Amino acid sequence: MTLVQGNTFSGRECENPYHHLREFEQVCSCMKIPGMTHETLRCKLFPFSLVELAKQWYTTHVRSMNGDWNTLRDHFCLNYFPLSLICTL
């Protein structure tokens, strides 16, 4: 838990959601809970890596993800790194 909370994401413009996810997934890959898939582990731990606006976003949108890590990851990235910003780059 401490490792996950050591790399938090707040949703500020200066933060990159892709970098946050890469670090988060690396930390999670080092953990294993018997009987739990890596996807489930990521879904359970992800909210602990969020603070401020990002935590509010998660609370509002988590139910629509149905516990699917890939969907959560994609929606998170699109929210904090929208296509309009990608086109601008």
Side-chain angles (χ1 to χ4, degrees), residues 28-45:
C28 287
S29 71
C30 297
M31 299 177 193
K32 184 171 178 145
I33 297 176
M36 186 179 288
T37 66
H38 282 292
E39 183 173 319
T40 301
L41 180 65
R42 289 174 184 151
C43 285
K44 296 284 187 189
L45 291 178

Side-chain angles (χ1 to χ4, degrees), residues 4 24 42-51 55 58 72:
V4 171
F24 174 76
R42 289 174 184 151
C43 285
K44 296 284 187 189
L45 291 178
F46 189 63
F48 296 102
S49 75
L50 304 175
V51 294
K55 185 77 157 196
Y58 175 84
L72 175 58

Side-chain angles (χ1 to χ4, degrees), residues 8-17 51 80-81:
T8 58
F9 183 87
S10 67
R12 294 187 184 125
E13 287 185 25
C14 62
E15 294 176 302
N16 186 322
V51 294
Y80 290 105
F81 207 87

